[in-house]
Amino acid sequence: MTPDSVAKIDVISSGNAVTDLKRHFEVDAISIDKIRVERPFGAAAHSMELSRNGLISVDDSYQEVASDFLLDLLMNQYMAPSGSRRRL
């Protein structure tokens, strides 16, 4: 907003909230503190939350699924040619 003030907002989206944010704000001005995804691994009620400091919270019954998902994602990122790596 200004050098003296900051706005903190919650974005609730049934689609891609980051895309919506980028449409309405300058990309450099966005700092995401936390992302919460409802039902990332199927229809049963569960959620996963990722924090800016690297903390990942997931319901106990989905801990193994979330761990495998994140390891696969990180390995794919690591193995990608350096020119095609995207920032996570």
Side-chain angles (χ1 to χ4, degrees):
M1 294 179 55
T2 70
D4 299 324
S5 62
V6 174
K8 292 191 176 199
I9 61 171
D10 289 334
V11 177
I12 300 169
S13 175
S14 60
N16 188 332
V18 174
T19 301
D20 293 340
L21 278 172
K22 287 180 179 179
R23 243 185 254 142
H24 296 287
F25 297 97
E26 294 178 29
V27 175
D28 294 338
I30 297 173
S31 173
I32 298 173
D33 291 326
K34 183 174 21 174
I35 296 172
R36 180 180 177 93
V37 181
E38 297 291 331
R39 296 182 174 94
F41 306 115
H46 68 286
S47 63
M48 183 167 72
E49 192 171 280
L50 303 121
S51 297
R52 181 185 197 138
N53 64 1
L55 178 66
I56 299 171
S57 299
V58 66
D59 296 347
D60 286 341
S61 58
Y62 286 89
Q63 186 173 2
E64 187 78 23
V65 175
S67 177
D68 290 344
F69 171 78
L70 291 168
L71 286 172
D72 287 345
L73 181 69
L74 292 170
M75 284 304 294
N76 289 337
Q77 180 73 13
Y78 176 76
M79 299 301 285
S82 61
S84 65
R85 289 186 188 166
R86 290 184 2 203
R87 187 173 173 208
L88 295 179

